[in-house]
Amino acid sequence: MRKPDFDPFRILFQRTSTAALASLIILAAGRASSQPAPTLRQAAETHNLLIGAATASAYLSEADYATILGSEFSLLQAENEMKFGAIHPRPDTDPRPYDFRGGDALVEFARRHDMKVRGHTLIWHRHLPKWVTEGRFAPPQLEKILHDHITNVVSHYASKVYAWDVVNEAFNTDGTMRHTIWYDQPGIGAGWDTRYIEQALRWAHQADPEAKLFCNDFGAEGINQKSDAIYAMAKDFRKRGVPLDGIGFQVHATLWFDSQAQLASFVTNLDRFAKLGLELHITELDIRLDGDSAASLDAQAKLYGEITALCLQQPACRLIQTWGFTDKHSWIPGTFKGQGWALPWDAEYRKKPAYDAMLNALQQPRTSPHPF
Ligand code: XIL
């Protein structure tokens, strides 16, 4: 007869008294808990996944802010300081058209903490300076302004910024192109669907051939008219060798997003973009609440964990970035009246259940099947 398998637990039970066993368990538990828990960054690194946060240089002088950012995250992005209005506040005729101070401070922080940097964003319909919106420029002039802006900003950060959101929010919900100054007016194929995006990607690629170039949008997480339009563009660009490396999914969510149907649709959508050979980033994750009851925070944690797991099970998903990391500095209360509590740290820099849920999801194997 085959000898029973070696079972240390059974042997332990047979050979030790209950009291001795109890003390052994307590000792083992003590050992386990004396091991420091990994940070999000450490847990994510085991999966070759980046963990990012949107940041502002003004907050780096807050000790808690800097400590958490520098230890928990492997990537940072400027929440506002690389947007057109902030980085290029004066016309090119001015002796100092650019202001790189905020962006440079963030890049320097990232360098000191061995973090990557995402650039956000070269083309957007918001955050434009008056000299652009009220300049009454003719299309060829706007083309030059855009070309010079992309070339100068991307060159300034060449080899420092790992990926750029070249175009942000270019599509309407119904999949048509959003009317913006950049779509409507520059002389680079205005009104020709995605032609201006193609041109912008080519300019950015010329300025830094190493940078990964992204299109970023909101409300395109699941399969819908907007994500269909982005998919059609991406497929066309990949076929024709236009330098598009990835797609950013913002994921500014509410608890409403926590449904089997929506999460499954997100999974299917990521999968079709992955099949085009694109890198996928979750770029602006936050989950806003109407209050901070324990039940709301737990529901929020569940969804943070699910989104983290969903990215982990998709090999092309290489970044999970939250839009800020502390409720103290979140954009939500200022934008969505009565809402807030959207991030994994509270306003006193205490970890919330959302943090534990993310960490827990990151400690699962990358290949485990998603539950949706
Ligand atoms: C937001 C910032 O968080 C705010 O501080 C700012 O006032 C407006 O912009 N989608 C984006 C981000 O791509 O750039 C936006 O950031 C949030 C929505």
Side-chain angles (χ1 to χ4, degrees):
M1 216 180 95
R2 202 170 77 85
K3 271 187 156 181
D5 289 335
F6 175 70
D7 180 347
F9 205 65
R10 194 169 55 80
I11 293 168
L12 207 66
F13 252 112
Q14 284 166 350
R15 296 207 184 145
T16 50
S17 71
T18 315
L21 183 64
S23 53
L24 256 174
I25 289 171
I26 290 165
L27 201 77
R31 278 261 168 75
S33 67
S34 69
Q35 295 274 333
T39 61
L40 295 179
R41 172 180 182 155
Q42 288 166 337
E45 259 159 17
T46 65
H47 304 290
N48 200 17
L49 177 75
L50 295 163
I51 289 284
T55 53
S57 62
Y59 307 142
L60 295 176
S61 53
E62 278 182 52
D64 287 338
Y65 186 95
T67 304
I68 293 173
L69 180 63
S71 57
E72 295 278 353
F73 295 92
S74 48
L75 179 146
L76 64 76
Q77 172 167 312
E79 181 169 352
N80 289 307
E81 287 161 291
M82 292 190 189
K83 289 173 181 170
F84 203 127
I87 210 163
H88 195 168
R90 291 168 291 270
D92 298 323
T93 47
D94 190 278
R96 288 175 46 251
Y98 291 90
D99 183 351
F100 292 113
R101 286 171 301 177
D104 287 358
L106 290 172
V107 166
E108 174 55 16
F109 183 93
R111 193 192 60 75
R112 277 192 279 115
H113 294 85
D114 195 21
M115 300 164 81
K116 285 189 161 48
V117 178
R118 272 186 115 259
H120 176 80
T121 175
L122 299 167
I123 300 191
W124 195 27
H125 59 286
R126 296 179 54 197
H127 227 284
L128 290 168
K130 281 215 167 78
W131 72 265
V132 170
T133 54
E134 295 176 7
R136 297 169 175 276
F137 295 109
Q141 290 172 302
L142 272 172
E143 171 179 354
K144 183 169 180 345
I145 287 169
L146 192 55
H147 168 268
D148 292 354
H149 176 78
I150 291 176
T151 304
N152 288 329
V153 174
V154 175
S155 304
H156 181 84
Y157 289 116
S159 82
K160 293 176 180 154
V161 160
Y162 140 91
W164 272 103
D165 286 332
V166 175
V167 185
N168 195 32
E169 304 180 349
F171 293 86
N172 294 314
T173 309
D174 66 1
T176 56
M177 303 299 296
R178 186 194 288 277
H179 285 281
T180 71
I181 191 168
W182 304 122
Y183 175 65
D184 295 342
Q185 290 177 53
I188 54 175
W192 293 20
D193 287 335
T194 56
R195 177 70 70 88
Y196 83 106
I197 300 179
E198 173 177 347
Q199 181 60 78
L201 288 164
R202 292 191 191 282
W203 284 334
H205 185 65
Q206 249 164 31
D208 182 4
E210 298 301 312
K212 290 176 189 272
L213 305 182
F214 279 69
C215 289
N216 188 51
D217 218 316
F218 67 94
E221 286 77 25
I223 306 255
N224 55 35
Q225 288 175 308
K226 188 190 270 193
S227 65
D228 282 352
I230 299 172
Y231 178 76
M233 172 189 74
K235 195 172 173 191
D236 169 48
F237 285 0
R238 296 296 285 179
K239 200 173 82 196
R240 293 191 296 110
V242 178
L244 173 72
D245 300 292
I247 302 293
F249 301 87
Q250 293 188 8
V251 201
H252 290 292
T254 62
L255 293 177
W256 175 81
F257 194 61
D258 192 3
S259 79
Q260 164 84 19
Q262 297 201 75
L263 293 171
S265 184
F266 194 7
V267 168
T268 313
N269 193 34
L270 289 182
D271 199 50
R272 66 171 169 168
F273 280 101
K275 288 198 173 100
L276 295 178
L278 292 161
E279 187 164 326
L280 310 176
H281 288 180
I282 290 177
T283 50
E284 305 188 13
L285 176 60
D286 54 18
I287 302 171
R288 55 189 185 270
L289 302 174
D290 298 325
D292 65 346
S293 67
S296 301
L297 294 178
D298 285 347
Q300 179 187 53
K302 176 170 170 280
L303 184 52
Y304 262 104
E306 287 166 340
I307 292 171
T308 306
L310 180 155
C311 173
L312 265 189
Q313 63 82 40
Q314 167 54 258
C317 187
R318 305 295 300 281
L319 166 74
I320 300 176
Q321 172 168 263
T322 49
W323 203 241
F325 59 88
T326 162
D327 291 337
K328 182 174 183 185
H329 298 308
S330 165
W331 74 306
I332 295 293
T335 309
F336 299 89
K337 217 172 162 20
Q339 299 189 303
W341 307 279
L343 290 164
W345 278 263
D346 73 12
E348 275 80 46
Y349 291 106
R350 287 182 301 237
K351 291 171 181 167
K352 292 161 62 179
Y355 175 93
D356 300 326
M358 284 182 88
L359 184 60
N360 182 48
L362 290 170
Q363 290 177 296
Q364 310 305 315
R366 202 188 223 281
T367 49
S368 67
H370 61 83
F372 313 110

